[in-house]
Amino acid sequence: MSDGRVNRPRRASARRRTAALGLVVLTGLLGACGDDDNDASDETTTSSTAVSTTSTTAATTTSVPAGLEQPAVWPAADVVFATPEEVAADFVREVLGVPPELGEFMAGDSRSGEMAVYSPGEGAGATPIARSLLLLRQLGPDSGWFVTAAINEQVSITSPESMTEVDAGPLTVEGMGRGFEGAVVVNAVVAGDATAELDRQLTQGGSTEASEPYTVELDLTDAPAGATVAVVVRGGVGLETDPGEFSALPIVISG
């Protein structure tokens, strides 16, 4: 496989994957990634070596996509990436729309780990800036690599909780955020299909170093029943190659 992914035959409920940031409740997410206790703050992740890589009203129940042990933000359940580097790069490229600038993979256990995402900085020789920490895990019968969440304390999602099952319809998203002139963007896409954006809303967070609370309502009316949806929050930066500080978590549409 030339691009690191292999498609398995889809089940009847699976969506076709097109070619083409969030403090999450850590008791659920970090448990899924083994015993990882790495902090996602800039002070911690900036120590990683940045490398360019070329190669997605809450109920309390959860639902798991067919073939996976848990929902993941990227890719679709029937797409297999052979390495964590490949899936991390694909997520940054497809969901955030910027060239992937990634740190080294930091293994948590034999099937999970973390990877920092950077901004390349401005100008030649600039120092990369840590923007988020991806949580990565092998899932499914083919042990493909998946992005299960992205964490940044400064731009976070506090509600809904990760892996929550929700109805298709209005969804209130809350958290803390900051960005250039206070701009914070919240959107939702079907996991594995960045072109299937369900809604995108611009809201206001902090415009200085301090993050401020935000609340926004996303319209998930068109979300397919049973689909995993990636909720993503990003702090605006105004630079084309900078993903901005971001977090992401998966939810599942009931039905």
Side-chain angles (χ1 to χ4, degrees):
M1 53 188 173
S2 60
D3 63 354
R5 69 182 92 176
V6 176
N7 290 323
R8 300 195 304 274
R10 289 184 177 273
R11 294 173 174 82
S13 62
R15 285 182 61 88
R16 181 175 299 276
R17 183 186 183 276
T18 63
L21 122 168
L23 178 62
V24 182
V25 177
L26 297 181
T27 54
L29 289 174
L30 297 184
C33 283
D35 296 326
D36 303 330
D37 60 355
N38 293 291
D39 191 355
S41 64
D42 291 350
E43 290 77 10
T44 299
T45 57
T46 50
S47 62
S48 299
T49 301
V51 295
S52 294
T53 306
T54 58
S55 281
T56 165
T57 307
T60 57
T61 58
T62 62
S63 179
V64 179
L68 297 185
E69 299 90 324
Q70 67 180 82
V73 299
W74 199 262
D78 62 343
V79 175
V80 178
F81 281 93
T83 69
E85 292 83 1
E86 289 169 344
V87 71
D90 197 66
F91 171 79
V92 173
R93 186 187 303 112
E94 299 297 329
V95 177
L96 304 181
V98 299
E101 191 84 9
L102 305 173
E104 296 178 347
F105 176 68
M106 301 172 287
D109 57 32
S110 62
R111 295 177 61 85
S112 69
E114 303 172 345
M115 185 175 292
V117 178
Y118 291 87
S119 159
E122 295 186 72
T127 301
I129 305 168
R131 292 309 196 188
S132 189
L133 189 69
L134 300 183
L135 305 185
L136 305 160
R137 188 167 186 83
Q138 287 181 286
L139 299 170
D142 295 316
S143 295
W145 282 94
F146 288 78
V147 178
T148 60
I151 298 176
N152 184 301
E153 290 185 337
Q154 304 302 325
V155 179
S156 66
I157 303 169
T158 56
S159 180
E161 295 183 0
S162 178
M163 299 185 284
T164 298
E165 183 174 318
V166 304
D167 294 330
L171 176 71
T172 299
V173 181
E174 299 176 337
M176 301 292 291
R178 67 183 183 182
F180 178 68
E181 296 184 343
V184 173
V185 178
V186 184
N187 71 316
V189 299
V190 175
D193 187 355
T195 66
E197 184 175 71
L198 299 167
D199 196 11
R200 176 184 293 261
Q201 297 293 328
L202 176 65
T203 187
Q204 196 78 8
S207 59
T208 63
E209 292 186 0
S211 295
E212 295 183 10
Y214 72 83
T215 300
V216 70
E217 185 174 279
L218 295 179
D219 184 1
L220 305 187
T221 301
D222 295 332
T228 298
V229 170
V231 179
V232 185
V233 58
R234 302 171 65 180
V237 293
L239 301 176
E240 292 184 357
T241 60
D242 190 342
E245 296 174 311
F246 68 93
S247 288
L249 56 77
I251 59 173
V252 179
I253 306 301
S254 60

